Structure formats: structure tokens, C-alpha cells
Amino acid sequence: MAVSWLSRLAAQATVPVFPVRGMHGEPVLHRLALAAGIELVDSPRHASILLVAGGVPPDQHDALRRVHDQLPTPFATLWYRSEPLDELAGATRVDDPDALPEALKTIHRELMSGKRGSSPRLLPDEPPNPWEGLGDDGHGGEGMMGGVPYGRPMAMNMTDDIRDGLTLDSLTVTLGPFLPMLPPGLTAEVTLQGDLIQSWTTHSAPYPIALESAFFQALQGPVPIAELERARARYHLKRLHFGLRLAGLERLALEALRLAFEPHPGQNRVMALRRRLVRSGFFRLTTTGRGRLDENQARRVGGIAARAAGLEEDWRSGDEGYRHLNFRPLTQREGDTAARWHQTLAEIEQALQLAGQAERDAVHTRRSDGVETPRGPWGEYRPEDASGVLEELLPGLEWDEAMSTLASLDLAPLSPWSLEETSEAPVPTSVEERRA
Amino acid sequence: MDYPLIVDVFFVLLAILAVVSGWRVFCTDSMVRASFFLLVSFIAVGVIMILLAAEYLGVAMFFMMAVEMMVMAIFMVMFMMNPAGLNPMMMVHQHKFSIAAGAAVFVVLAAVALLAEFPDTPLPGDLDPVKSLGNELLGDSMLIFESAGIVLLTTMIGVVVLSSHRGRYGAAEEGSMPPGLVPGGDPAGMPEENDEGGGHHHCH
Amino acid sequence: MIVSELILPVLLVTFVLVLGAYLVAVLDEAIAGALGMPRATSVWTAPLTQGAWLLTQQANATEAPDWRAWRLAPALYLALAAIGLAVVPFSPTLIPTDLVTSVVLWGSVEALATVVIFLHGWSANTLLALIGAYRYVALGLSYILISMFVLIGVALPAESLQFSQVVASQEGLWNVIRQPLGLPLFLIVGLGMTFWGPLNLADSRDLAGGTASAVSGPPRLVWNLARAAMLVAFSGAAASAFLGGWLGPWLPGPVWMLLKMLAVLAVLLLIGRLVPRVQPERCVTLMWVVFLPLSFVDLIWAGVEALL
């Protein structure tokens, strides 16, 4: 009796969902962030439902299984525009973004009432790295260096220490591809000393991101600038949402996201958002002037990162239509994390201002041999994966600095499909194919 | 002296806890656990001091030892090649010598406890321990305590300098190397490149 | 005698802690709702339903954790909160434990909290929890130092290390006015030691929940409860040290005390929702370069005032 009373109460709880961000899964997660009664949590341990949003390439299915098995029972899985793993063939699949919040709530209720059993464990419950210590205490052998207990060698890295000469206490781990702080799909091997990143090796690139179809149409012929610029503002507002949420400003993060979902967001509301950000201390408290890109790196990343580092590179300056609107690229000088956020906010305002102006005068783009995407110029080539800069950029940063730097950078390659077509886009089978 | 029986019961329990957790320090296979077993032992002693009406000293023991053991654990982890102190490791070395030293110290202390004559002057009932301690600290012994205090403060500042972003050998993001032992020499404390005898190997 | 010295204080502390922790959760939800977070259930039931869900969830395991420390840490943190609240006076006579050195005991609760938070992160044997643990230790020392100087400041006019004497010494003028720097600095300590809002560096979002990132089920419920309880205990200490504790006209002492604790909680929770998380590097600098010197100034201020 008491138990059923408890589970009835538990069924009414806000549904904690751990999202696995697969390919092109991001848009639906933005909708869920605004839905009442659903909480997107950061750790699989804190969730009751594993939501796989978007396709996961087969070579990362093992990682997906590991995340799946980390959810404490009772839990269930829900697959959004994604093929369930073979072992979970009976799992619920939902492809309609509008039906998703209700489906999540129903599954949670069914789990709590016992109508739905918990998802089975997929991997054997054994240590991923066997006990390979020498002797009773694991560190036998000469100089306490024998044995590799639990796959963790005693640290004897004679690499140059980048902090204070203490070379000993270092820990090497593999991060990704579903760690919520990293771009979806990115995996990296990281050596840490305390919370200081000593080395960062990117193993697989982030999943490609899809843009709205306006950018694709701009490559076919003239499109209304108002439409293009609003799409740009929406894209950046969603990135801002991620950055602000990471910085612990949930309220303003949601404000940015709500703006992104409005058909005609006002420029003054973005200015108000910027003022509130400055007043809350976002720029002074959460950035430390680190994460600075030099000219080469900035050029490799392109887009906002390049202009935040002072490069006046913008495809729009060469377009007659934009020149008609007196477009001039904005730049920052510093090129660090704070400068990139300043640049992002400034470009959102600029985009909305251009959109308003272009709408009045019904201005269209003139050039169609290329377009300035939010991710950088797309002329002859699509903007490609730029996660290579992380290997130079992140070592020497503390964890928090590294994560806020990552949030301020947009490194993923662009998808050849537009946002509207992504439901039909195939999932590549391996890392190599994604690189190609 | 009249005090309730419960005080005796608590004394025995705490004494057992202090001894057992002290013994566990040497049995555990982790630097961090060893530090905190020692902390438990000290806390038990602190509570015994409160039972002995040395209230201020007992409570001060809690926070002194909490911070000390915490710092000790962190320093051990920093200076041992055990990543984050997460790998198991043997916590005792030089067994024969330490057993002999332990036994000798135990005999001496036990002899002191059994043979020494302890003062037996009852204190006035209205004695305020905090006040008398204050008089002791800032009265005749002021010079000793103040100099000890300044030494501790210097140590603390040293620790902050060590752990700050501006590390011992320069700023963290610029890459810092220890200076050479002779002017212009190789960085000190770094192993030779071709050190065959030591059994070192690169793990990366 | 047993009733008045053992059972009553235990009941009082338990009641205030449980009620307070619930109110912390409700207040935080209400503030979040007022600031525009999407919300489905009522603020009054949300903490209960979440607690019920955590009770039905399995307590998970990690690879080779330090089981004893991992399971004990949340309970110990809750126990520390209870000890901290036990020395807070609710009226001249209603004091759970009227220790002569209660201010020092509060200091040792802060110091032991550092150990417990570190153990909670370290013993899970996973990366993100470990980083959270390291971070708290790196900052915990500065919180303890600031708190120490600020509390010595309030002990000076009272000429006592006893919270009840500290409250009694504010009969004429509350410490919040007598030592204007004290309360703001102490609130920073409070946010720090409960790792709440802008100073939530141990269990932060960039660590996917930090020391609690690998915890689920009942242990997580205890940990969340303990954090809220520590906030309540802290508000009790702050109300006695700076807001004149039970002092106040018309209403009985304990009611004044509870109202003042609620006010402190509301301020802390509001700060928690409005200010972004401070980067650890910046936080260390702020603590040692700005707030610690300010706490010296506060102490000198208190000393000069005590001499005049």
C-alpha cells in the first residue's frame, strides 16, 4: 500500500530525461527545454528516461550502450527519429516532435506504476578494465610502477608539466560522444592534472549541424535578406541558450531560446537581454580572458570566431543587396571567450536590424555563388569540422574555462541537408564516412 | 568527582574508536582513506577532550584537524604518482624499523602513563576555560604563540602561491619549467632522457 | 532531565531542518517560476514528488567506488547541518545545545563540511565527481578563513564565543548595522559552503552535477536534502550573528528567529537564481584578493568599535 502511494506520487514528478544528442537531434531538444513538466538532466544517473534524439552512427553504438546501462532502474528509452538498437527492438519510437513531451510523460507514468518494465541491461556488469595490479596492493614491481589496476597506470608521465612542475598526479580519460557539455559526437582523449587540462586529442569530429533551408536557397538564387537574417539570429540565439545554461543562467538561457522560437523577434528584446547579461556579471564572472584564438586558428574556425578575433571576413560585404542596407561586418579585438559572446550578441542584433530594414525595402541577396552561414562563409566549400583547434587551444585551461570556451566556439561541420530535410537524412556508418 | 555513568560509557567507546581508526590508517590501501581514518581518530580524541571539560580545545581540535587532514591528503595525492589517489597502494614501508620504533614508543608512553606522578590539584568549579586559555595565549607565552602563528601564516601564503595559476615557475598557460641547478643548466628535477636503470617507462 | 536535555533539542532540530529543507525547495521553485521557468506541478508538491521519485529509483554503483565513504558522505553532511543548527538559539531559553564555544563549533562544521564534500566526490571513482571534489577543497579554505574573521568580529562586542551571548549583545544595535561588512561577507560564505548558485562549483552544470553526478536514488535524495538543510542551518547562524536572533518587538522570540531565517534563505536563493556561476579561477582571486582583505577590515572595524 505504502509503496503504491509512493509510486503514485513519483509518477507526478517532473520527468527527468537524459538526452543523447544524435545527428540532427538538437532542434527537438530545444522544444523540450521549453516544455513544462520535463527536465533535461546532465547525467544519465539523474534520469528516468533515455531519449535518443537523432541517429547515432553504428561505430558509436557501444558508447550508446554504455550510457544506456548507466541509467538506474527503473528506466526506459525513447527513440526520436532514430533506429532503436537491435537488443531494444521493442522500444518506443516517436518521430513527431509535437507528440514527444506527452510520450515522455506517459512513459514515466507507466514506469512508476509498474505497467512498463525497466529497460534491460545491454552490457555485462564487469569492470571495463580488469584488475591488472601486481601484488596485493596493485602497485608491485620496481619503483611502484608495475601493474595497471583498473586500466589506470600509475602516473609516470615525463612530459613537460604545464602548470607548476608537479608531474605526477595526472589522469587520462576518454570523453564523449554524448557528454552534454561537449558538441554532440565529439570524442577526445584528455589528460588532466587536477582540473587542469594537460593534453587534448580529438578522436572523432562533432556531428554535422543542419541549417535552415534559407541558406541553401541562397546558393540557388536570390532570397529575401529578411528571411536569411532571421534564420541567422535564430541559430545564434540557440547557441547562446547553450552557453548561458552552462554558465548557470537558466532564466536568461530560456529567454534566449524563447526569442529564437518567435517568428519576428524584436531587436530591442535582444538589447534588453544583453543589458541583463552584463548586469548579472556574465562577462566578468564567467570568463577569464582565456580561450584566445590566434589569427590562423580563427581563420580555420571562421564565422563568429574569426570576426571576434578581429578578422573582417564576411561574405555579406561582397553582396550588392547587403551593401544596399549599409552592411558592415562587426568585429571584436580580443578573440577570447568573452569576445565571442559579445560578437554573438552583436551579430544577433545586427541580423535583426538588417532583417527589419530588408523587409521594409524588400531587399534580396544578389550573389548566389556563396553565402555567409552562421558557421562561416560557404562558397566553394562547406564549412568543415574545426575541432582540430582544440588540441592547441584547450591544454593549460581549467575544466570550467575549457567548457565555456567550447560552448563559445562553433566547430561542427555543416550538414549537406537542411533542417527541414533532416528527417530523411541517412546516418553515416562510421567516423571515416562522416569525415569524408 | 561526580558525573553520570554515561560519561564513562562514552569515554570507553570514543577511546576504542580512536584506537581502531588509528590502527586502520596503517591497513588501508589508499592515501585519502588513511588521512581520513586519522581524522576520525582525532575527532574521537577531540570529543574526549570535551568530556574532560576542555571544551574549547576539543572543538578547536575538530576544525584544526579537519583542515589539516584535508590538506595532507591533497598534498600526498599531488606528490605521489598515483593518479588522483584512486589507485590502490601500500601505505606502510620499512616494516621492521617501523615495528621496532612503534613498540619502543608504546613502551615509553605506557611507562609514562603508569609511572609518572600526575598533579592532583582540583580546579575551582567556576573556572572559565576559554578565559584562562586566552590569558595563556596572550599573556606570558605571547611571543611563542605569535611567532608560531606567523610561521603558519607564511606556510599558508606559500601554499596559495604554489597552487595559484601563476605557478612556481611561471604562468600556467605559458608552460613552466623548473630552473636549472646551475645558471643556464637543464631544468632541475627532470629525469635524464636515457635512464635505463630506473625502470621508468613512458605511459603515453 | 532526559526529556529537556536530549529529546526536546533533537525534536526541535529535526523539525526545523525538515521543515526548512522543504521550504528551501518550495521557495527555490517559486522563485524559478516567478522568473519564467516552465513549470507543470504546483510548487508545494514538486519537492515531494521529486523525493518520491528518487526513493523509487535504484541507488546505482560505479566501478570500484569507496562504498563506505560514498554512502556515508551524504548522511555526514546532513549530520553536520544538524550539528550546526543545534547551537543556534531560538530564544534566551530555547537553545538546543548552549555550548560555551558554539561559534567555534560552527567554524568546525564548516571545516568538516570540506572533508565530507571532498569524500563525496572522491569516493565515487569517476572523473567529473573527482573534479568537483578538488574544486571544493581548493576554495573551501578561503570560505573558512573569511567566516572565521567575520565571526570573530561578532564575538568581540559580545565578549563571548557563545551564540546566545552574541544575540544578547545586539540588544541595542544589530550587528548588521554595527558591522556593515559582516553580513554580506557571511552570505558569500554561506553560498560557498552549501555550493549554491554562483558558488556552486562542486556540483555544477559544467561537471554534469559534479560530486553528485554519479549518484542516484535515495543517496541522491539525502544529498539534496543535506544541502538544503545546511542552507537552513547557515541561515540560523547568520540570523543569530547579524540579525539579532530572537530579538524583536510584539512577536515571541522563536517566531522572530524563524522569520529572520526565512529572510536570509530568500536572499540566498534569489542570488542563486540571478547570478551566473563564477569561474573557479576568478572565484579564487575574488576570495583571496577582495573578500579576505575585506574580512580583515571588518575585524578591525569591530575591534576599534569594541575599544571605543
Side-chain angles (χ1 to χ4, degrees), chain A residues 168-171 192-196, chain B residues 31-32 70 73-80 82-86, chain C residues 114 117-122 126-141 201-202 207 210-211 280 284:
Chain A
L168 293 174
D169 172 37
S170 65
L171 193 59
L192 290 140
Q193 199 177 29
D195 74 339
L196 188 89
Chain B
M31 300 179 274
V32 175
M70 190 66 251
I74 293 288
F75 266 59
M76 281 203 283
V77 168
M78 282 201 308
F79 283 103
M80 293 303 293
N82 188 335
L86 293 173
Chain C
T114 313
I117 296 164
F118 175 78
L119 264 185
H120 191 237
W122 179 82
T126 60
L127 176 75
L128 298 174
L130 178 77
I131 295 180
Y134 272 157
R135 267 196 201 158
Y136 189 82
V137 175
L139 291 162
L141 190 63
L201 300 172
L207 294 172
T211 71
V284 171

Side-chain angles (χ1 to χ4, degrees), chain A residues 7 10-11 15-16 47-50 71-77 104-119, chain C residues 53 56:
Chain A
S7 42
V15 184
S48 117
I49 298 175
L50 179 75
L71 272 89
T73 51
F75 74 103
T77 57
L104 288 166
K105 286 178 198 166
T106 313
I107 291 180
H108 179 76
R109 270 200 301 274
E110 286 176 2
L111 267 179
M112 291 301 123
S113 66
K115 235 187 273 173
R116 178 190 281 260
S118 183
S119 187
Chain C
W53 170 65
T56 58

Side-chain angles (χ1 to χ4, degrees), chain B:
Chain B
M1 288 292 280
D2 54 332
Y3 49 85
L5 180 70
I6 192 88
V7 173
D8 276 336
V9 174
F10 268 108
F11 171 76
V12 171
L13 289 178
L14 288 164
I16 292 173
L17 177 66
V19 172
V20 169
S21 53
W23 166 61
R24 294 301 303 171
V25 171
F26 300 97
C27 303
T28 183
D29 61 354
S30 148
M31 300 179 274
V32 175
R33 255 173 275 173
S35 312
F36 293 138
F37 273 126
L38 197 54
L39 174 61
V40 172
S41 183
F42 277 124
I43 287 178
V45 173
V47 181
I48 291 179
M49 286 166 92
I50 294 180
L51 288 184
L52 293 172
E55 212 177 85
Y56 180 83
L57 288 182
V59 175
M61 185 100 159
F62 297 160
F63 77 77
M64 299 284 286
M65 285 307 146
V67 177
E68 257 166 52
M69 291 303 127
M70 190 66 251
V71 171
M72 186 173 94
I74 293 288
F75 266 59
M76 281 203 283
V77 168
M78 282 201 308
F79 283 103
M80 293 303 293
M81 50 244 201
N82 188 335
L86 293 173
N87 277 4
M89 66 184 287
M90 186 81 161
M91 289 303 296
V92 281
H93 307 283
Q94 293 172 288
H95 299 201
K96 280 180 194 150
F97 173 76
S98 13
I99 290 171
V105 171
F106 178 77
V107 169
V108 171
L109 285 179
V112 169
L114 292 176
L115 305 177
E117 260 182 56
F118 289 102
D120 188 20
T121 34
L123 292 169
D126 58 346
L127 180 82
D128 185 354
V130 178
K131 196 167 191 171
S132 52
L133 194 67
N135 279 334
E136 185 60 33
L137 286 177
L138 296 174
D140 293 342
S141 326
M142 190 160 160
L143 183 65
I144 302 167
F145 283 113
E146 286 305 301
S147 24
I150 287 174
V151 170
L152 282 176
L153 183 67
T154 340
T155 320
M156 264 159 38
I157 294 172
V159 170
V160 174
V161 170
L162 280 183
S163 59
S164 81
H165 199 78
R166 296 177 289 278
R168 271 186 300 189
Y169 310 123
E173 70 268 27
E174 286 164 8
S176 51
M177 289 291 274
L181 292 174
V182 289
D186 289 334
M190 291 299 190
E192 300 277 323
E193 269 305 307
N194 298 316
D195 188 4
E196 297 295 331
H200 300 142
H201 57 249
H202 295 251
C203 293
H204 289 269

